[in-house]
Amino acid sequence: QVQLVESGGGLVQPGGSLRLSCAASGSIFGFGFYDMGWYRQAAGKQRELVAILTGAGTTNYVDSVKGRFTISRDNGKMTVSLQMNSLRPDDTAVYYCRLRTGRGIYWGQGTQVTVSS
């Protein structure tokens, strides 16, 4: 019954900003202990990790987004966000939210981000 729903994707010009959100629902006791992350998959490419924020507060980013993207979470609301600044065409992809718990890994349906002038 665990569900993740992403929102905030869309079309944006190069250099612009976009904020993605992911809302978790269902029986997730101890949400704050679990890792939350954002992945993306561009057309014709493998899905890659974009950013992760662990329950311990550790962050990791793929090199290409360091300094431009910021991951954050609100454990009370069971949400995770990805603030994306200085967007480039290479950021175009479907972005997926992921939750890892002791019971398994859960994925959202994905939201399309297109960076184009």
Side-chain angles (χ1 to χ4, degrees):
Q1 293 183 348
V2 175
Q3 185 177 7
L4 303 176
V5 180
E6 300 99 332
S7 62
L11 176 64
V12 64
Q13 295 184 356
S17 297
L18 210 59
R19 185 176 181 87
L20 306 182
S21 295
C22 172
S25 62
S27 182
I28 311 173
F29 180 78
F31 178 84
F33 291 98
Y34 304 127
D35 299 343
M36 292 288 293
W38 288 96
Y39 290 70
R40 68 186 180 187
Q41 186 167 20
K45 296 185 178 181
Q46 299 283 344
R47 187 175 298 186
E48 67 172 349
L49 173 69
V50 178
I52 188 168
L53 177 55
T54 71
T58 301
T59 59
N60 287 288
Y61 299 91
V62 66
D63 287 344
S64 61
V65 310
K66 288 181 178 178
R68 300 188 298 120
F69 291 10
T70 303
I71 187 172
S72 61
R73 65 194 293 169
D74 187 327
N75 294 329
K77 296 181 179 179
M78 295 201 300
T79 61
V80 61
S81 298
L82 185 68
Q83 179 65 46
M84 305 184 294
N85 299 326
S86 302
L87 284 162
R88 307 187 302 223
D90 287 347
D91 295 318
T92 296
V94 177
Y95 284 71
Y96 298 90
C97 176
R98 192 189 79 162
L99 165 67
R100 182 172 67 177
T101 74
R103 297 181 179 180
I105 298 173
Y106 305 92
W107 293 89
Q109 81 289 346
T111 185
Q112 176 70 48
V113 172
T114 302
V115 185
S116 179
S117 59

